[in-house]
Amino acid sequence: MRVNKKYSCLPAEEKGIHIINIRAIEDIGYDQHESTLLNSLSKNPDADCKYGLYFRDGKRKVDYILVYHYKKSSAGKTLARRAQQNDASVRSTKQDQPLPGKGVQLELGDSEPHMDYHEDDKRFRREEYEGNLVEAGLELERDEDTKIHGIGFVKIHAPWNVLCREAEFLKLKMPTKKMYQINQTHGLVKKINSVIQKITEPIQPKVAEHKPQTVKRLSYPFSREKQHLFDLSDKDSFFDSKTRSTIVYEILKRTTCTKAKYSMGITSLLANGVYSAAYPLHDGDYEGENVEPNDRKLLCEEWASYGVFYKYQPIDLVRKYFGEKIGLYFAWLGVYTQMLIPASIVGIIVFLYGCATVDENIPSMEMCDQRNNITMCPLCDKTCSYWKMSSACATARASHLFDNPATVFFSVFMALWAATFMEHWKRKQMRLNYRWDLTGFEEEEDHPRAEYEAKVLEKSLRKEHKHKETDKEKLTWKDRFPAYLTNFVGIIFMVGLTFAIVFGVIIYRISTAAALAISSTPSGRSSVRVTVTATAVIINLVVIIILDEVYGCIARWLTQIEVPKTDKNFEERLIFKAFLLKFVNAYTPIFYVAFFKGRFVGRPGDYVYIFHSFRMEECAPGGCLMELCIQLSIIMLGKQLIQNNLFEIGIPKMKKFIRYLKLKRRRSLDHEEHMKKKQRYEVDYNLEPFAGLTPEYMEMIIQFGFVTLFVASFPLAPLFALLNNIIEIRLDAKKFVTELRRPVAVRAKDIGIWYNILRGIGKLAVIINAFVISFTSDFIPRLVYLYMYSENGTMHGFVNHTLSSFNVSDFQAGTAPNDPLDLGYEVQICRYKDYREPPWSENKYDISKDFWAVLAARLAFVIVFQNLVMFMSEFVDWIIPDIPKDISQQIHKEKVLMVEVFMREEQGKLQMLETWKDKDKRKGENCNNHSPRLSRSRSGSLSSCHSYPLDV
């Protein structure tokens, strides 16, 4: 390892900070000043370096931070000063060529208590790793004199030549000097666009990146050989902070530490505790007096504030600060929220239609008419008595709000809406790819994860112990088979646990209903169904929220034991498992109410029992759709309010407060140290680490399922989702800007596996809504009655048609009501909702022909609805092109312009070559026309003439 070993020391009176500033290796072509270890202090060093944003010289910007823990004795400062005075003896104690600045620590080790083996090992690995970073061309500066006791920071700066080299390796597209005009619309379209622009001007964010552009710089993958193509007038701003941190992170991942035969990049070093954190810095403060303008402050004002909830998001500025992957998430969330506006409007219209027609609905009017005097059979054994159908009037009227012909139209509309949303997002994604210079970008294979490298090392050591070949070891399916088996068993167990909990809630509902029915008060008996439904849904909600957190941890653990090779593989497998478990957890109670409740109850005299004592619960007289609506609304609103918002606000605040208390307890009592202003990297260290976008996407995908899967039963779902998302965007923005450390910018051209999940949910929604309309609602039975059984072509008599008769003398022993005269008269025949033969028929209580007619109609509707809506969705997908026409033209124009640029460059080279040849030819002719005095030395003259262009 070639490093410069010359030091310059500060006087012992000054309080110094170790700076590592190493000369890069010669093959990069970078020659730095000979003095490499500096302790540069000015009168106000913190102000010179802008409180941690720059090195101590105030010129080199900090691109990345490494954080580590170290043990420091109370006499550390005194010993450090002595060590600086004895610099020559320090250099002679170096071992294994550690990083400059480490000699001080080695001498301190003689006076300090002996560190344990693990701390020593970590220190040696840090020395080697940081030395390798220096060899890669990075410049480092150490700071252990901070307000956080026992925490050291290594500041990393990437010089210009390293940035150029890595930008070429990563094929980063950078803007060239060439600018071209973006195609503008003409005629009527231009006028419409100008009017829309004026109308929407108040809701546009006040950022430069959001203004419409008429010209664009031509972009080209950076190349050191073609630097003349790029505008390098301001090298400090050519690579922005996001790009600089990305380049440094790539070097950190690629650079390894090989102590003890262990190849470790930054991910492995973090996993093994050699470093405790690694992160890029925020651009500065976002609040306070005299804060310099920066992108973070602008994002906080124009994006991460609830006061601008009505404005568009400054997506380009988000991408500039956080990178393409996070920018795409917020762009997708913005498109999804915008598309919820028309869905919410239509849902409100459908709901208002139900409210307006509730008094004209003949079936509910018949149920509420007390003159019909329909006596219903008991809802439970012994304790329940006969009851009047008119007592369920409120339930029947409420059911019509969501169970009316408009809900069928709304289901079709939402299926087409989902298809349109997906197409709209694909087009928006292509526009962003063009604007962000991602066209033609292909993701390369990522570096192996730390856990994968450790497993491969373990396997190699086992084979090496057996004297076998260890080259190119990798994990095979045999190595992962125990993990695969654990995954399969674990997922099956979790799904079974969810089903068991739902079954337990069913038992609770049945037993609670039976217990409340014993109540002697009429008011208690009348509110049994509402009480049981409400409490059961609340229990479901609490269980879902708890299991969501548990399943998230279990999904991560199951993915970790699989040991995926790259971060991308890890993320995709984690997403699949987490989505599967959370989908089952969130929707199982809803599926039960929609498709199973009331289907297997039997009939009076022959009911179906659970454990021979609990009778299966029935749907309300108005059908199960109203209960499905209640279940869906409470779970959806509860998850959004409690899990998505309160947890996202409360938990980070609580973690931040706990971290603050810990740091306060560890902080030194030195008054001078306590009063000085914190450096930028100290402030950012106290923020919450970025945990990825998976939780953010997951909650939106589950919400998308609530909006689309059961929308036939709850037309107001898009409205509540819209209201939640308006808050969610600003909440997430505030979290990213103020609560989290700055994430490493990651390039991405799409939202990855989430798009396929969205498409799958959209397809599933068509099938589920078809079954909800045909089997859960009364839409199909009403159509069958209207066109097959109605005598006058109206719905009069529909309620009586759906009820079967039962002779009370056929009750099984011990199941008849205890009080048969509760209504004031003796009941001979009671009614129940089913299609069965009457007691006076030969095949009494058998399923009637009406049942089979309705079932055939229901199945036919499912087939027709599913195929029709699928065809319409595919038609929408086909008719809307994935790439907008203007973007396609602009991409083609860029290619043509780039070819022109290179053609001109080649022509310029050819012209220069021709010029040199012409000069050579003219010089030769001049030599041939020399005077006779020079003819005798003609050959020498010619040779000298011909040699002249070569010298030039």
Side-chain angles (χ1 to χ4, degrees):
M1 180 173 68
R2 296 189 52 178
V3 296
N4 197 336
K5 299 180 181 178
K6 293 188 178 182
Y7 298 80
S8 63
C9 300
L10 285 173
E13 299 82 32
E14 294 185 3
K15 185 177 180 181
I17 177 168
H18 303 300
I19 297 180
I20 305 168
N21 182 4
I22 312 298
R23 184 173 60 196
I25 54 179
E26 293 174 356
D27 61 337
I28 298 176
Y30 179 65
D31 190 13
Q32 198 176 330
H33 192 271
E34 197 168 48
S35 179
T36 58
L37 182 64
L38 304 174
N39 280 327
S40 56
L41 290 175
S42 61
K43 294 181 181 178
N44 190 359
D46 289 342
D48 290 344
C49 68
K50 294 188 178 180
Y51 295 98
L53 288 174
Y54 287 81
F55 276 22
R56 283 287 171 181
D57 57 13
K59 297 178 181 178
R60 291 170 293 170
K61 189 173 183 179
V62 177
D63 298 320
Y64 218 87
I65 291 291
L66 299 179
V67 187
Y68 61 91
H69 292 272
Y70 69 95
K71 291 185 177 180
K72 188 175 181 181
S73 67
S74 60
K77 292 183 181 178
T78 306
L79 291 171
R81 289 172 183 164
R82 290 177 185 172
Q84 287 177 349
Q85 290 175 346
N86 301 310
D87 183 68
S89 63
V90 170
R91 285 185 229 126
S92 65
T93 62
K94 290 176 145 189
Q95 300 174 5
D96 298 330
Q97 289 187 333
L99 274 177
K102 289 294 183 181
V104 175
Q105 295 182 5
L106 287 174
E107 187 174 288
L108 290 177
D110 298 335
S111 303
E112 292 178 356
H114 180 68
M115 295 183 181
D116 59 18
Y117 169 77
H118 295 292
E119 289 297 324
D120 243 3
D121 183 59
K122 289 179 182 179
R123 181 163 55 86
F124 287 142
R125 287 181 179 177
R126 284 199 298 269
E127 288 175 6
E128 184 195 359
Y129 183 71
E130 290 166 10
N132 292 340
L133 291 180
V134 169
E135 285 193 349
L138 299 178
E139 297 175 5
L140 311 182
E141 180 179 88
R142 188 181 310 282
D143 185 5
E144 293 182 354
D145 183 25
T146 64
K147 293 186 72 174
I148 308 175
H149 183 69
I151 299 292
F153 296 90
V154 177
K155 294 174 276 187
I156 302 177
H157 169 77
W160 171 255
N161 63 299
V162 175
L163 293 173
C164 293
R165 182 192 71 204
E166 297 298 323
E168 184 173 352
F169 291 166
L170 296 174
K171 301 177 183 177
L172 296 179
K173 274 191 172 184
M174 303 302 295
T176 63
K177 297 176 183 176
K178 175 69 175 177
M179 301 181 72
Y180 67 94
Q181 194 80 17
I182 298 176
N183 293 339
Q184 300 294 321
T185 55
H186 301 284
L188 181 62
V189 177
K190 184 178 181 180
K191 293 180 180 179
I192 294 174
N193 289 339
S194 62
V195 171
I196 294 174
Q197 187 175 344
K198 289 180 180 178
I199 294 173
T200 58
E201 188 174 356
I203 60 176
Q204 300 290 345
K206 297 177 182 178
V207 296
E209 286 79 1
H210 199 77
K211 294 179 180 178
Q213 298 178 347
T214 57
V215 293
K216 185 178 184 293
R217 286 189 179 274
L218 195 63
S219 296
Y220 184 73
F222 188 82
S223 172
R224 287 174 289 182
E225 295 180 355
K226 299 184 182 300
Q227 289 193 26
H228 58 277
L229 295 177
F230 304 94
D231 184 9
L232 303 180
S233 57
D234 186 6
K235 291 185 177 181
D236 292 336
S237 62
F238 182 73
F239 295 106
D240 58 15
S241 59
K242 165 186 68 74
T243 307
R244 297 175 71 98
S245 63
T246 302
I247 288 174
V248 173
Y249 183 63
E250 287 296 325
I251 298 176
L252 292 176
K253 287 197 298 182
R254 188 176 68 227
T255 306
T256 58
C257 165
T258 56
K259 287 279 185 185
K261 297 184 179 181
Y262 199 156
S263 178
M264 299 170 67
I266 186 60
T267 53
S268 303
L269 293 170
L270 288 169
N272 286 273
V274 178
Y275 291 101
S276 58
Y279 51 88
L281 292 178
H282 280 292
D283 279 357
D285 291 325
Y286 59 90
E287 61 183 0
E289 298 179 359
N290 303 323
V291 175
E292 293 185 5
N294 57 72
D295 287 343
R296 189 187 186 193
K297 185 175 185 295
L298 188 58
L299 282 171
C300 187
E301 293 172 352
E302 294 294 329
W303 182 51
S305 172
Y306 295 110
V308 294
F309 73 91
Y310 59 91
K311 288 188 177 183
Y312 286 101
Q313 299 182 85
I315 292 298
D316 291 324
L317 185 59
V318 175
R319 172 254 179 181
K320 177 185 174 185
Y321 193 78
F322 291 110
E324 286 80 6
K325 192 171 185 177
I326 294 176
L328 280 173
Y329 163 70
F330 281 103
W332 173 84
L333 184 56
V335 170
Y336 172 47
T337 305
Q338 288 177 6
M339 288 294 291
L340 283 172
I341 296 175
S344 302
I345 294 173
V346 177
I348 293 172
I349 293 173
V350 170
F351 178 73
L352 293 177
Y353 170 81
C355 296
T357 58
V358 68
D359 292 329
E360 301 173 3
N361 183 39
I362 295 175
S364 61
M365 289 170 61
E366 288 184 347
M367 289 184 65
C368 295
D369 190 358
Q370 297 184 1
R371 295 174 296 178
N372 286 337
N373 198 25
I374 299 177
T375 303
M376 303 296 294
C377 296
L379 296 175
C380 63
D381 294 339
K382 291 185 180 180
T383 55
C384 297
S385 185
Y386 304 106
W387 54 283
K388 292 284 189 180
M389 174 171 275
S390 57
S391 64
C393 175
T395 308
R397 289 174 63 87
S399 297
H400 179 73
L401 300 179
F402 305 99
D403 187 4
N404 56 69
T407 57
V408 180
F409 158 76
F410 191 56
S411 300
V412 177
F413 171 82
M414 287 304 293
L416 299 179
W417 172 87
T420 307
F421 162 61
M422 300 304 294
E423 292 304 308
H424 179 44
W425 166 244
K426 280 197 290 188
R427 291 169 63 84
K428 177 70 173 179
Q429 194 170 252
M430 282 305 303
R431 288 188 182 277
L432 293 176
N433 285 343
Y434 165 72
R435 231 159 59 201
W436 297 348
D437 298 322
L438 292 172
T439 52
F441 167 71
E442 295 294 337
E443 293 185 14
E444 298 180 359
E445 186 175 357
D446 203 357
H447 298 279
R449 297 174 63 248
E451 292 81 357
Y452 181 85
E453 290 181 337
K455 279 286 184 183
V456 170
L457 176 66
E458 184 182 338
K459 183 179 179 181
S460 302
L461 292 176
R462 283 200 308 266
K463 287 198 172 185
E464 186 178 345
H465 183 69
K466 296 178 181 179
H467 306 288
K468 293 184 179 180
E469 287 290 329
T470 60
D471 294 337
K472 295 182 180 180
E473 285 294 336
K474 62 180 181 179
L475 298 184
T476 62
W477 69 270
K478 292 181 180 179
D479 301 319
R480 291 192 173 106
F481 180 75
Y484 290 153
L485 185 62
T486 306
N487 270 260
F488 178 77
V489 174
I491 290 175
I492 294 297
F493 175 76
M494 291 299 114
V495 173
L497 176 63
T498 304
F499 290 163
I501 290 174
V502 171
F503 184 73
V505 174
I506 294 171
I507 299 297
Y508 162 80
R509 292 161 66 118
I510 296 172
S511 58
T512 305
L516 291 177
I518 303 175
S519 173
S520 58
T521 59
S523 59
R525 285 197 295 269
S526 62
S527 61
V528 167
R529 188 177 294 277
V530 176
T531 305
V532 171
T533 301
T535 55
V537 172
I538 292 172
I539 292 172
N540 272 327
L541 174 63
V542 173
V543 170
I544 286 172
I545 291 175
I546 294 173
L547 287 184
D548 255 2
E549 302 302 320
V550 174
Y551 286 170
C553 298
I554 291 175
R556 180 168 291 276
W557 176 74
L558 290 175
T559 308
Q560 286 173 346
I561 64 174
E562 280 188 41
V563 197
K565 184 176 181 180
T566 63
D567 286 331
K568 184 178 179 181
N569 292 340
F570 180 87
E571 186 180 20
E572 288 181 350
R573 296 186 185 194
L574 173 62
I575 288 170
F576 174 75
K577 294 181 184 65
F579 174 73
L580 178 62
L581 293 175
K582 293 190 176 187
F583 182 90
V584 172
N585 180 43
Y587 295 114
T588 300
I590 301 173
F591 268 94
Y592 164 72
V593 174
F595 303 121
F596 297 99
K597 185 179 179 181
R599 308 290 173 191
F600 312 103
V601 295
R603 59 172 179 82
D606 187 20
Y607 284 115
V608 177
Y609 293 89
I610 302 176
F611 305 132
H612 302 286
S613 55
F614 297 109
R615 218 175 85 184
M616 287 293 291
E617 55 182 345
E618 300 181 40
C619 289
C624 276
L625 197 68
M626 185 61 196
E627 191 169 343
L628 175 62
C629 173
I630 295 172
Q631 184 103 2
L632 184 66
S633 59
I634 292 179
I635 291 178
M636 178 182 176
L637 296 177
K639 273 180 64 67
Q640 290 184 166
L641 180 64
I642 298 174
Q643 192 174 24
N644 297 355
N645 293 332
L646 291 183
F647 280 14
E648 284 194 15
I649 297 173
I651 291 179
K653 293 284 186 187
M654 186 174 65
K655 287 182 178 178
K656 188 177 180 181
F657 180 70
I658 293 172
R659 222 169 21 247
Y660 168 76
L661 293 179
K662 287 182 179 179
L663 292 174
K664 190 176 181 181
R665 194 180 304 119
R666 292 166 54 186
R667 193 173 291 160
S668 174
L669 298 177
D670 186 357
H671 181 72
E672 178 188 351
E673 189 173 301
H674 180 72
M675 291 302 293
K676 71 179 184 180
K677 183 178 179 180
K678 278 188 176 183
Q679 303 289 330
R680 178 78 262 155
Y681 43 85
E682 294 179 81
V683 177
D684 286 2
Y685 178 70
N686 294 332
L687 298 177
E688 187 75 13
F690 175 62
L693 288 170
T694 300
E696 314 298 336
Y697 273 114
M698 187 66 71
E699 65 182 68
M700 289 296 105
I701 297 296
I702 296 295
Q703 184 204 83
F704 182 77
F706 282 121
V707 169
T708 55
L709 291 180
F710 296 94
V711 74
S713 63
F714 190 40
L716 295 180
L719 174 64
F720 289 116
L722 173 64
L723 297 176
N724 174 80
N725 288 5
I726 291 173
I727 301 173
E728 180 74 21
I729 290 175
R730 306 304 164 181
L731 182 65
D732 284 348
K734 196 171 186 66
K735 182 173 67 175
F736 272 83
V737 174
T738 65
E739 300 287 342
L740 298 179
R741 293 175 191 162
R742 188 174 183 178
V744 179
V746 178
R747 287 189 297 169
K749 62 187 302 183
D750 52 41
I751 60 175
I753 192 175
W754 297 109
Y755 181 81
N756 297 327
I757 292 175
L758 285 169
R759 283 189 67 89
I761 291 177
K763 303 291 185 186
L764 184 62
V766 177
I767 301 171
I768 290 179
N769 280 302
F771 277 95
V772 168
I773 293 170
S774 60
F775 285 91
T776 309
S777 74
D778 283 337
F779 178 73
I780 299 301
R782 288 172 185 171
L783 284 182
V784 172
Y785 176 78
L786 186 64
Y787 293 106
M788 291 182 63
Y789 300 103
S790 178
E791 297 178 355
N792 51 7
T794 64
M795 293 301 296
H796 287 288
F798 169 73
V799 173
N800 187 60
H801 178 75
T802 59
L803 298 177
S804 298
S805 300
F806 177 74
N807 193 330
V808 298
S809 61
D810 293 330
F811 271 123
Q812 290 180 349
T815 60
N818 294 333
D819 187 8
L821 300 177
D822 185 56
L823 294 178
Y825 57 88
E826 186 179 357
V827 178
Q828 300 292 331
I829 299 293
C830 66
R831 309 294 296 276
Y832 61 99
K833 191 170 183 178
D834 204 349
Y835 291 101
R836 290 183 180 271
E837 296 291 343
W840 50 84
S841 173
E842 293 182 2
N843 303 316
K844 65 178 183 178
Y845 306 132
D846 284 351
I847 294 175
S848 65
K849 295 179 181 179
D850 299 342
F851 171 83
W852 300 111
V854 171
L855 179 62
R858 282 174 166 166
L859 294 175
F861 175 83
V862 168
I863 295 172
V864 173
F865 182 90
Q866 176 184 335
N867 286 280
L868 178 63
V869 175
M870 287 284 191
F871 170 77
M872 295 171 69
S873 300
E874 293 296 329
F875 180 74
V876 170
D877 190 359
W878 172 76
I879 202 172
I880 301 176
D882 293 346
I883 305 177
K885 187 177 180 181
D886 59 326
I887 297 299
S888 179
Q889 292 174 349
Q890 297 291 352
I891 294 173
H892 178 70
K893 185 176 181 179
E894 277 196 353
K895 292 179 180 178
V896 173
L897 288 174
M898 188 55 67
V899 171
E900 289 180 0
V901 168
F902 286 120
M903 289 298 293
R904 288 176 185 172
E905 187 177 354
E906 291 297 323
Q907 289 173 1
K909 291 179 181 178
L910 290 174
Q911 289 176 0
M912 189 177 295
L913 189 60
E914 290 292 334
T915 303
W916 286 352
K917 287 183 179 179
D918 290 343
K919 286 182 179 180
D920 186 13
K921 188 175 180 180
R922 286 196 297 269
K923 193 66 179 177
E925 291 175 354
N926 291 336
C927 290
N928 290 334
N929 296 329
H930 274 305
S931 62
R933 287 179 300 168
L934 301 175
S935 60
R936 61 180 176 270
S937 59
R938 184 176 179 183
S939 60
S941 300
L942 286 174
S943 63
S944 63
C945 290
H946 282 291
S947 67
Y948 175 73
L950 295 176
D951 294 338
V952 173

